Amino acid sequence: MAQLVEKPTAAVPRVGKQGDPCVMVIFGAAGDLTARLLIPALYNLSRADLLSKEFAVLGVARSQMTDEDFRKRLLDDVKAYCGDCIQDSHWETFARRFYYYAGDFGDDKLYSQIKDRLTQIDRDHDTHGNVFFYMATAPSFFGSIVEKLAANGLMQQDTDHWRRVIIEKPFGHDLESAKELNQKLLKLVDEKQIYRIDHYLGKETVQNIMALRFANGIFEPIWNRRYIDHIQISVAETVGVESRGSYFDHAGSLRDMVPNHIMQLISLTAMEPPISFDANAVRDEQAKILHAVQPFANQDVLTKTVRGQYGAGTMDGERVPGYRSEEGVPPESRTETFVAIRLLIDNWRWAGVPFYLRTGKRLPARNTHIVIQFRRAPFMLFRETQVETMMPNQLVLNIQPEEGISLRFAAKTPGTTMELGEVNMNFAYADYFGVTPSTGYERLLHDCMIGDATLFQRADMVEAGWRIVDPVLDVWKALPPRDFPNYAAGTWGPKEADELIERDGRRWRNFEQ
Ligand code: BG6
């Protein structure tokens, strides 16, 4: 493949200021998310010297543990997830700032005890009274924990200290429940104190969509319906539901991935240039795109959406079970593990340009990418080449696993006749910037510590995401699928997903690795 980019001689250093002094209180500190993502992210921040020296963690969960047990357990769990990412010498000083308190989230007394514990930690670590609470719990606790925190004065901020809360996804399970949760939270705290997290926004390449579009003069003039034929967004996963069968079976791929992660990718790709990088300026533009998505009428749901569920199949040469045989999944489950959708954005920039989205579990490759396909050249001079077989130009934003950008264009193949072939110009992040250990949560936790909400979801954005998928949820519920399972593990989803795009004379670009 053509490698037309010049590599710098040294890696570009990461930049950023240290987070404010503060305590991070993690509700659900004994769970998976804490060990798999939150603690490794804090550890990476600490290694990069982006944590204040006056920082501490208070873990809260039901299991009885001492501070020392908690530290030991975290170390074991983190090592189980990321192997040798931990350096024992650094861990020791890092983990000294960790404390633990056992309690039941529903128990009012817990909160006055947390208050006392925080006073003690503030005294020991000089955390300036700043606290952020991380809800790494089951979603049913989000509202009630914040309610009890507020009732105990723990969300009260002043000019000399701040209080914030990070809410994990899923934020509601449909539009109505998301609205209810927003109303409840907004009665207790100010919107500015709420950080609704979507870890896709923590990914460097997702943030880079804005850099690509708005820091380069060459793209903006062609970033519209005149030059772009269509956009494809694929979030393909090789994993099945792992140990999350019982959660996933109530959610399904649509709820799990579309109103949140995929809508972030769409809004960043399609938004107008914001007037600044102020949190609200960026989020206003994102929200406008979500509001401009053409609503699905019942009939549209039948023709513009596809759902699938994986059956048994072969992945990497090994047999894997179907979804209905996974742990925690009922044998008759009708939950979808694959979704494909064709949608339109009703504004001047995008009118008539289809956005094709798909996401699924147990697909042949782990790959998240956005394909921007440009229109064909209007007239083909090169008679020796079958024009219809040539793909038009595509700009591909690779979000993961290999982060990068590539542009596909036509070039003359060597020889005495004028024949054309397709070439790719590739830019890989790792070549330029090296690979820094990252979970995607580093940037988001750090942003919360410095009070920058740009990469967090505002109430209206969460609701706008649900408003788009709500009609699909309703129709799918009313018409349960009869053909599940309808794709084998290790394939690119049901054939209807191919038909969805092929009907329009286009086809998915599949990246096999
Ligand atoms: C989570 C979903 O939000 O995102 C999971 O609940 C999914 O089902 C995961 O696997 C995908 O995240 P990533 O970062 O691996 O693409």
Side-chain angles (χ1 to χ4, degrees):
M1 247 174 246
Q3 182 77 50
L4 300 180
V5 284
E6 202 182 308
K7 290 185 193 175
T9 46
V12 177
R14 305 262 151 176
V15 285
K17 62 171 184 172
Q18 281 190 340
D20 290 358
C22 60
V23 186
M24 174 180 183
V25 179
I26 307 176
F27 286 94
D32 215 42
L33 177 74
T34 305
R36 197 152 58 99
L37 295 162
L38 301 182
I39 303 299
L42 290 174
Y43 181 80
N44 290 338
L45 285 174
S46 159
R47 297 282 323 262
D49 204 20
L50 289 169
L51 278 187
S52 163
K53 300 281 173 275
E54 293 145 348
F55 171 77
V57 169
L58 174 62
V60 184
R62 229 168 279 150
S63 343
Q64 289 295 334
M65 275 186 274
T66 62
D67 292 340
E68 221 22 79
D69 295 341
F70 180 53
R71 294 169 191 165
K72 163 104 188 42
R73 178 180 167 153
L74 282 179
L75 180 59
D76 293 344
D77 288 353
V78 171
K79 277 188 169 169
Y81 285 118
C82 70
D84 56 3
C85 64
I86 300 295
Q87 279 185 6
D88 288 343
S89 53
H90 189 80
W91 176 269
E92 215 171 283
T93 9
F94 172 68
R96 252 183 252 141
R97 319 154 173 220
F98 284 47
Y99 301 91
Y100 181 80
Y101 201 84
D104 184 335
F105 305 148
D107 177 5
D108 287 324
K109 286 200 295 294
L110 171 68
Y111 298 82
S112 54
Q113 288 154 354
I114 289 178
K115 197 172 184 174
D116 294 343
R117 199 77 206 262
L118 282 172
T119 312
Q120 180 66 42
I121 294 174
D122 189 35
R123 213 174 295 141
D124 293 347
H125 292 269
D126 196 15
T127 51
H128 299 210
N130 299 327
V131 185
F132 69 105
F133 300 93
Y134 198 111
M135 302 293 132
T137 65
S140 53
F141 288 114
F142 296 166
S144 60
I145 293 179
V146 179
E147 197 166 37
K148 293 185 198 307
L149 289 173
N152 282 274
L154 282 159
M155 292 306 303
Q156 193 70 43
Q157 38 181 18
D158 216 322
T159 43
D160 62 348
H161 71 268
W162 50 256
R163 296 294 160 106
R164 297 173 187 144
V165 56
I166 299 189
I167 314 267
E168 258 295 333
K169 79 174 256 285
F171 194 97
H173 53 89
D174 58 11
L175 178 58
E176 201 184 315
S177 55
K179 276 185 170 168
E180 263 171 36
L181 182 55
N182 272 331
Q183 278 160 10
K184 181 167 191 171
L185 294 175
L186 290 167
K187 273 193 200 132
L188 303 164
V189 292
D190 190 83
E191 173 66 36
K192 287 205 175 99
Q193 293 176 274
I194 308 174
Y195 288 65
R196 298 174 193 79
I197 204 163
D198 181 323
H199 78 279
Y200 262 57
L201 287 174
K203 294 181 191 284
E204 286 283 347
T205 24
V206 173
Q207 294 160 34
N208 196 47
I209 299 172
M210 283 195 278
L212 175 87
R213 292 193 52 202
F214 306 132
N216 296 295
I218 60 171
F219 295 116
E220 179 54 23
I222 55 169
W223 209 262
N224 57 49
R225 61 195 296 273
R226 244 185 111 189
Y227 298 97
I228 293 179
D229 174 74
H230 76 275
I231 291 181
Q232 300 178 13
I233 298 183
S234 297
V235 181
E237 297 188 276
T238 49
V239 289
V241 286
E242 299 171 295
S243 55
R244 301 161 69 228
S246 53
Y247 151 74
F248 190 87
D249 203 61
H250 287 107
S253 281
L254 181 64
R255 284 191 173 94
D256 191 43
M257 300 296 287
V258 180
N260 31 63
H261 306 328
I262 293 190
M263 287 304 150
Q264 301 298 347
L265 299 179
I266 294 187
S267 61
L268 293 172
T269 307
M271 71 199 244
E272 295 301 312
I275 53 162
S276 73
F277 268 107
D278 171 70
N280 276 334
V282 174
R283 297 186 298 176
D284 284 347
E285 297 306 334
Q286 285 184 275
K288 278 190 215 159
I289 285 294
L290 299 179
H291 286 297
V293 171
Q294 202 174 84
F296 289 105
N298 290 351
Q299 186 58 29
D300 296 333
V301 176
L302 303 180
T303 54
K304 294 175 182 155
T305 71
V306 172
R307 57 189 149 161
Q309 187 193 77
Y310 63 86
T314 307
M315 303 208 49
D316 282 336
E318 287 196 10
R319 288 297 290 169
V320 295
Y323 174 70
R324 290 175 176 183
S325 309
E326 303 273 17
E327 189 192 320
V329 175
E332 300 294 306
S333 170
R334 289 168 157 177
T335 299
E336 79 287 351
T337 59
F338 178 97
V339 186
I341 298 180
R342 178 193 195 274
L343 57 78
L344 290 170
I345 294 177
D346 282 345
N347 67 13
W348 278 49
R349 188 188 286 268
W350 297 113
V353 178
F355 283 65
Y356 300 95
L357 335 168
R358 65 178 170 167
T359 180
K361 301 220 178 262
R362 286 290 191 216
L363 301 187
R366 175 170 184 256
N367 202 300
T368 299
H369 59 261
I370 303 173
V371 174
I372 291 129
Q373 180 161 320
F374 292 89
R375 291 186 187 279
R376 275 183 198 286
F379 171 66
M380 201 36 93
L381 292 167
F382 307 98
R383 310 227 181 274
E384 300 303 319
T385 299
Q386 293 247 304
V387 177
E388 321 72 58
T389 63
M390 296 268 315
M391 285 300 281
N393 297 127
Q394 285 186 341
L395 181 69
V396 181
L397 314 183
N398 283 313
I399 308 293
Q400 60 190 20
E402 253 101 66
E403 308 183 319
I405 297 173
S406 75
L407 178 67
R408 181 166 70 187
F409 56 92
K412 181 187 172 304
T413 51
T416 49
T417 55
M418 188 58 153
E419 284 185 41
L420 302 182
E422 287 161 5
V423 293
N424 284 301
M425 186 156 67
N426 293 325
F427 153 67
Y429 262 75
D431 289 347
Y432 259 72
F433 302 119
V435 182
T436 315
S438 168
T439 62
Y441 277 72
E442 288 79 359
R443 167 78 196 262
L444 298 172
L445 293 177
H446 183 261
D447 278 358
C448 180
M449 292 174 198
I450 59 170
D452 182 350
T454 312
L455 298 177
F456 291 84
Q457 300 259 79
R458 238 173 22 195
D460 57 327
M461 295 165 73
V462 173
E463 291 177 17
W466 282 117
R467 197 167 288 117
I468 296 166
V469 300
D470 244 26
V472 184
L473 288 169
D474 290 345
V475 174
W476 282 5
K477 189 169 171 208
L479 299 174
R482 295 209 214 111
D483 59 347
F484 278 8
N486 59 353
Y487 72 98
T491 64
W492 283 103
K495 64 176 186 338
E496 289 80 1
D498 292 332
E499 289 162 10
L500 178 79
I501 189 167
E502 285 167 11
R503 269 203 300 273
D504 296 342
R506 302 174 172 117
R507 62 175 197 265
W508 293 111
R509 182 143 177 212
N510 292 334
F511 293 87
E512 294 290 341
Q513 49 189 321

